[in-house]
């Protein structure tokens, strides 16, 4: 049903929208703003959309004309919108071109690179030295048989190291017999394994993890050792001294003095412990006052670094070697301890906490 003032309302509406739209758009500064304004007029709930819904109420003779006028306005709005959008894009592009240039010489974004763990570094250095002397590298299991860890190395059955207080047994506890399974307490097991596999002459080093029920500032229940041994005819203690002295001097400092003290390990005879000049107070430089104050060597100028000896004939018999024909030497050291001495690390736990603030210092 046509309403008499509908024509008027419609015409006024078109004029108002035309003016208001142009004005609103001029104030817009960004694409989202522009789209928001556009929606207010030509969106589903927009002003023009609402006005167009009045069309059926217009008298027939004017409906066509007013319809065309409304369409023209719609197109006008569309092209005003497109222009405004282009002008915003142009503005942004110009600002970019006139802004400071892209500096391709700026450093890239920093990615923290990984690095080798101090124990791995020390292990590699130690292996390099022994490989340069002609030693082979061997590996062996961390889960071991009791006999390889103790019996065949000449430990008597009641040796304190075999006690559950000291050793992690796997499976049935309390059964200290040859087939009992345990976490190896020392890399000396490699002596047994390699000698049972190979005939002399042989020279082998073997780094690896070992396990003991021990836990304080200088002991960790898991730590790393390196075992070395050499078997041939006519091997003497002089060769043992020569190899170890050369090794320690290459690893720490060419000036260090080395001394051998008698000690006991079931699988060597004679057995010894090796001390070297303290690398913290640099005892070889002879500054007695400095050495007297050194907390690492407790003023002695010496520090204990490894165990060694001539392989016990019992070990050769246990692996089927002719103990009359062959002699050999063996040595064992803690890689953690060497890393601690080399890098001045006060607490073994630091090596296993995986704190990057600590690890990134190496
Ligand atoms: N296995 C010994 C330990 O864990 C270290 C050791 C001492 C190894 C003397 C040897 C050696 O080969 O001859 O304490």
């Amino acid at each position: 049903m046509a309403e008499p003032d509908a024509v008027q309302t419609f015409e006024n509406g078109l004029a108002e929208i035309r003016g208001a739209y142009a004005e609103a758009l001029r104030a817009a500064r960004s694409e989202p703003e522009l789209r928001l304004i556009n929606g207010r007029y030509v969106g589903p709930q927009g002003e023009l959309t609402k006005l167009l819904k009045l069309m059926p109420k217009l008298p027939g003779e004017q409906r066509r004309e007013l319809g065309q006028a409304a369409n023209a306005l719609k197109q006008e709005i569309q092209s005003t919108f497109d222009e405004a959008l282009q002008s915003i894009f142009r503005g942004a592009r110009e600002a970019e071109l006139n802004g400071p240039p892209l500096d391709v010489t700026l450093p890239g974004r920093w990615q923290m690179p990984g690095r080798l763990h101090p124990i791995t570094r020390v292990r590699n250095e130690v292996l390099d030295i022994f490989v340069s002397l002609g030693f082979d590298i061997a590996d062996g299991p961390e889960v071991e048989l009791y006999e390889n860890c103790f019996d065949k190395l000449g430990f008597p059955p009641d040796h304190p190291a075999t006690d559950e207080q000291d050793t992690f047994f796997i499976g049935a506890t309390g059964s200290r017999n040859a087939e009992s399974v345990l976490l190896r307490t020392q890399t000396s097991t490699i002596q047994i394994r390699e000698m049972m596999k190979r005939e002399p002459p042989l020279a082998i080093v073997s780094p690896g993890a070992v396990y003991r029920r021990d836990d304080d500032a200088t002991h960790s229940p898991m730590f790393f050792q390196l075992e070395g041994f050499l078997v041939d005819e006519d091997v003497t203690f002089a060769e043992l001294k020569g190899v170890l002295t050369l090794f320690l001097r290459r690893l720490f400092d060419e000036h260090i003095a080395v001394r051998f003290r008698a000690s006991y390990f079931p699988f060597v005879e004679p057995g010894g412990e090796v001390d070297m000049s303290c690398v913290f107070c640099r005892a070889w430089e002879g500054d007695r006052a400095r050495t007297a104050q050194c907390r690492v060597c407790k003023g002695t100028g010496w520090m204990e670094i490894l165990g060694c000896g001539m392989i016990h004939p019992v070990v050769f018999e246990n692996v089927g070697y002719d103990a009359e024909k062959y002699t050999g030497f063996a040595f064992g050291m803690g890689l953690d301890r060497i890393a601690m001495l080399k890098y001045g690390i006060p607490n073994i736990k630091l090596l296993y906490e995986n704190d990057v603030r600590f690890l990134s210092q190496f």
Side-chain angles (χ1 to χ4, degrees), residues 25 28 30-40 81 85 89:
L25 216 59
S30 69
E31 187 183 346
E33 253 181 281
L34 216 60
R35 293 199 182 278
L36 196 74
I37 291 163
N38 206 47
R40 256 185 240 144
F81 173 79
L85 192 62
F89 286 162

Side-chain angles (χ1 to χ4, degrees), residues 117-119 216-217 220 340 344-359 361-362:
H117 191 279
I119 293 179
D216 60 39
S220 152
M340 288 167 76
I345 299 165
N347 188 324
I348 195 171
K349 298 289 158 17
L350 288 165
L351 291 169
Y352 299 114
E353 281 166 353
N354 281 341
D355 185 332
V356 282
R357 288 168 302 180
F358 166 77
L359 293 174
Q361 293 174 38
F362 300 96

Side-chain angles (χ1 to χ4, degrees), residues 186 188 191 212 225 227 265 267-268 307-309 330-332:
Q186 51 184 356
S188 305
Q191 291 188 39
R212 287 182 199 175
Q225 283 190 334
E227 189 80 10
F265 299 95
F267 39 89
V268 282
C308 67
F331 52 89

Side-chain angles (χ1 to χ4, degrees), residues 86-101:
Q86 285 313 314
S87 131
I88 280 178
F89 286 162
R90 264 197 309 276
R93 181 81 183 124
E94 252 160 55
E96 199 176 60
L97 290 172
N98 295 331

Side-chain angles (χ1 to χ4, degrees), residues 27-56:
R29 293 282 164 272
S30 69
E31 187 183 346
E33 253 181 281
L34 216 60
R35 293 199 182 278
L36 196 74
I37 291 163
N38 206 47
R40 256 185 240 144
Y41 293 91
V42 292
Q45 310 294 329
E47 298 292 329
L48 184 59
T49 318
K50 276 193 248 169
L51 195 66
L52 290 174
K53 289 188 182 140
L54 295 180
M55 290 278 284

Side-chain angles (χ1 to χ4, degrees), residues 108-272:
R109 270 175 236 276
W110 173 252
Q111 298 244 340
M112 195 156 87
R115 63 182 76 208
L116 294 179
H117 191 279
I119 293 179
T120 307
R121 281 184 50 183
V122 157
R123 186 196 61 194
N124 291 350
E125 278 181 54
V126 169
L127 289 178
D128 275 351
I129 296 172
F130 283 109
V131 167
S132 80
L133 294 173
F135 282 74
D136 290 342
I137 300 172
D139 197 11
E142 291 168 23
V143 177
E144 243 316 350
L145 290 175
Y146 184 98
E147 63 175 350
N148 289 340
C149 197
F150 298 125
D151 293 339
K152 290 202 164 120
L153 284 163
F155 282 73
D158 56 350
H159 191 281
T162 68
D163 199 277
E164 279 179 53
Q165 298 287 326
D166 297 304
T167 301
F168 293 103
F169 283 86
I170 291 175
T173 52
S175 51
R176 289 198 248 162
N177 57 56
E179 283 80 40
S180 300
V181 178
L182 44 73
L183 296 179
R184 68 177 177 189
T185 61
Q186 51 184 356
T187 44
S188 305
T189 53
I190 303 299
Q191 291 188 39
I192 303 302
R193 287 184 164 269
E194 289 299 313
M195 286 189 222
M196 285 175 48
K197 267 197 291 216
R198 301 157 68 161
E199 288 297 312
L202 45 81
I204 287 167
V205 281
S206 181
V210 298
Y211 302 83
R212 287 182 199 175
R213 303 183 92 160
D214 235 350
D215 208 3
D216 60 39
T218 50
H219 296 90
S220 152
M222 191 277 307
F223 61 105
F224 289 89
Q225 283 190 334
L226 179 122
E227 189 80 10
F229 54 98
L230 180 147
V231 183
D232 201 348
E233 290 174 38
D234 304 322
V235 179
T236 69
F237 203 94
E239 281 146 334
L240 169 61
K241 283 182 88 170
V243 165
L244 290 181
T245 304
L246 184 145
F247 160 68
L248 291 172
R249 286 187 177 156
R250 276 212 210 156
L251 186 65
F252 287 102
D253 190 294
E254 58 177 325
H255 297 102
I256 58 167
V258 174
R259 73 180 184 189
F260 290 72
R261 271 184 296 110
S263 184
Y264 172 74
F265 299 95
F267 39 89
V268 282
E269 178 60 36

